[in-house]
Amino acid sequence: MSVHVAVAGWLLEPKPFSGANRRLTSLLREVPAALRANERVTVLHRPSFHPPKGFAPIEWRAVDIPRGPTWRRALAEQRTLRAVLRELGATVYDHGFLPTPRVGVPLCQTVHDVRDADGEGRWPPWLARAVLRRSLRRAARVITVSDWTAARLRALAPGCEPIVIPNGVYDREPGDPPAGIPDAGYVLHVGHLERRKNLGVLIRALALLETADRPELWLIGRDAGAWPRLRALAAELGVQQHVRYLGPKSDSVLPAYYHDARLVVVPSRYEGFGLPVLEAQIHGTRVAVANAGALPEVVGDGAVLPVDDPASWAAEMATPDSEPLAAIRTRAARAKQQDWPSAARRWLAALRELSSSPA
């Protein structure tokens, strides 16, 4: 039996900064090596997106689905996708957004997190939970990225039995060190600047450290509206000279920032996974995460700190950047066990099995 997987790629962009986009891009990069002779993959994308090179034999199909708002995108999907998939001859459809459309073929729904249903998003929780339950009933299969998110799905949508396929990581050479590393080093955060990321606790922690031993806090990612508030807080506490916002960085230069950081911090109140944890650990770098969401699961034996306790974060920042080589190697080896080729093979196997089931 031939298998033709269609994949929703509405939010793909040349520089995939979000975790969801980085996951999809990485899976697609590895899928060709796992395809059998009778299998095809077609990625559906917005007309403004230019498909990258180096993904053959993956095919690409432009479909006029708007980026948002959610209701407009969902309406366009409901009106358009059934006919597009029929024309393509797709046997299974992979969807990474909510709500879930009816498409006429078996649908695999990927859920990265349930932040809206848990009150950490833009939707009212009651509405988000209703949409989630209805969507998961429409899906023939549900995939998620962590055991923690799987547990939340089972609690919020009884009867849902998700498959957990964790994110992976690439072992890339770090390259040249970043410019301007201070004598006391820097603590690194990678991710969008938004309230959920809880970055204020890091600035308060900096203020608790002696000036002579205080590292800089480097923030990498898109500003989702939090930077003015964070900058004002740093000025109020007198640590503005120790906080640097570097904007987004490409995957080609990020390894150097991870490698040379004295500590990578993820103080988020809510994460369905937390890719920066693995990306730092594969370089042997220490990581400290908040005791929230899937972060303790992902960090393994790394530091797990109270969400809103600046003193705990300050103590971790002040820890000397000197560890036995064996500890660094053990941390990197653990991260390497979660690689993208393995994730892609498991993803494709789930879609392959689903392709032979009724819609």
Side-chain angles (χ1 to χ4, degrees), residues 55 59 83 122 140 236 244 253 285 296 330 340:
F55 284 71
E59 303 166 34
R122 298 179 179 179
E236 177 186 338
R244 294 174 59 182
V253 301
T285 305
T330 298
W340 283 119

Side-chain angles (χ1 to χ4, degrees), residues 3 6 66 97-98 100 138 161 192 196 211 226 230 247 275 299:
V3 175
F97 317 96
L98 295 176
T100 303
R138 289 182 174 181
E161 288 299 332
H192 296 335
R196 175 174 62 93
T211 303
L230 295 172
L275 266 174
V299 81

Side-chain angles (χ1 to χ4, degrees), residues 187 198-210 214-215 217 233 237 239 243 263 265 267 305 307-318:
V187 171
N198 193 35
L199 297 174
V201 74
L202 302 178
I203 295 175
R204 293 185 173 89
L206 280 180
L208 298 177
L209 300 176
E210 295 293 334
R214 183 184 294 152
L217 171 63
L233 176 62
L237 297 176
V239 295
V243 180
L263 175 70
V265 286
L305 306 179
V307 176
D308 289 318
D309 183 8
S312 295
W313 290 93
E316 197 65 31
M317 290 179 182

Side-chain angles (χ1 to χ4, degrees), residues 39-50:
E39 295 176 340
R40 299 166 56 194
V41 174
T42 299
V43 180
L44 311 180
H45 62 90
R46 292 183 295 115
S48 60
F49 176 74
H50 300 289

Side-chain angles (χ1 to χ4, degrees), residues 23-356:
R23 174 183 170 87
L24 179 56
T25 301
S26 300
L27 292 175
L28 292 174
R29 183 178 290 114
E30 302 301 333
V31 155
L35 285 175
R36 297 172 180 171
N38 62 339
E39 295 176 340
R40 299 166 56 194
V41 174
T42 299
V43 180
L44 311 180
H45 62 90
R46 292 183 295 115
S48 60
F49 176 74
H50 300 289
K53 298 179 180 179
F55 284 71
I58 288 178
E59 303 166 34
W60 303 83
R61 168 69 180 270
V63 182
D64 191 14
I65 300 292
R67 180 186 293 269
T70 300
W71 67 266
R72 183 171 293 168
R73 172 182 54 76
L75 184 60
E77 289 171 343
Q78 198 63 56
R79 290 175 174 175
T80 306
L81 287 180
R82 186 181 293 263
V84 170
L85 297 179
R86 186 186 305 118
E87 177 189 340
L88 289 173
T91 60
V92 62
Y93 175 63
D94 181 82
H95 193 70
F97 317 96
L98 295 176
T100 303
R102 296 185 184 277
V103 294
V105 299
L107 183 149
C108 180
Q109 177 69 58
T110 298
V111 180
H112 299 276
D113 60 55
V114 287
R115 71 183 72 167
D116 289 289
D118 281 339
E120 291 288 345
R122 298 179 179 179
W123 292 19
W126 66 267
L127 177 60
R129 294 184 180 197
V131 170
L132 177 69
R133 293 185 185 112
R134 183 177 181 183
S135 293
L136 298 187
R137 286 195 297 267
R138 289 182 174 181
R141 180 151 298 159
V142 177
I143 289 176
T144 191
V145 296
S146 65
D147 291 334
W148 184 84
T149 303
R152 293 300 301 136
L153 286 172
R154 288 191 290 268
L156 292 167
C160 177
E161 288 299 332
I163 298 172
V164 177
I165 302 179
N167 290 325
V169 65
Y170 285 118
D171 186 7
R172 294 189 170 106
E173 289 297 319
D176 295 333
I181 297 179
D183 292 341
Y186 64 93
V187 171
L188 178 67
H189 178 272
V190 177
H192 296 335
L193 274 60
E194 54 184 318
R195 287 189 178 274
R196 175 174 62 93
K197 299 296 186 178
N198 193 35
L199 297 174
V201 74
L202 302 178
I203 295 175
R204 293 185 173 89
L206 280 180
L208 298 177
L209 300 176
E210 295 293 334
T211 303
D213 301 322
R214 183 184 294 152
E216 291 187 359
L217 171 63
W218 289 11
L219 305 174
I220 291 178
R222 286 180 173 172
D223 178 20
W227 174 236
R229 176 178 56 82
L230 295 172
R231 183 172 52 195
L233 176 62
E236 177 186 338
L237 297 176
V239 295
Q240 64 271 27
Q241 300 301 320
H242 289 81
V243 180
R244 294 174 59 182
Y245 172 47
L246 305 179
K249 298 292 180 181
S250 69
D251 285 346
S252 63
V253 301
L254 267 179
Y257 285 92
Y258 283 124
H259 181 271
D260 290 286
R262 63 182 292 169
L263 175 70
V264 170
V265 286
V266 189
S268 178
R269 299 179 186 277
Y270 196 100
E271 291 292 340
F273 189 83
L275 266 174
V277 174
L278 289 184
E279 292 173 339
Q281 288 181 331
I282 204 165
H283 295 288
T285 305
R286 290 190 304 120
V287 181
V289 304
N291 189 15
L295 292 172
E297 170 189 340
V298 177
V299 81
D301 59 359
V304 179
L305 306 179
V307 176
D308 289 318
D309 183 8
S312 295
W313 290 93
E316 197 65 31
M317 290 179 182
T319 300
D321 188 21
S322 59
E323 287 185 293
L325 183 58
I328 295 173
R329 287 176 173 171
T330 298
R331 187 181 299 123
R334 176 187 173 275
K336 288 178 182 179
Q337 292 175 1
Q338 295 185 236
D339 63 286
W340 283 119
S342 297
R345 288 192 295 270
R346 293 184 62 192
W347 180 57
L348 184 58
L351 295 171
R352 183 184 292 134
E353 180 183 347
L354 192 58
S355 180
S356 61

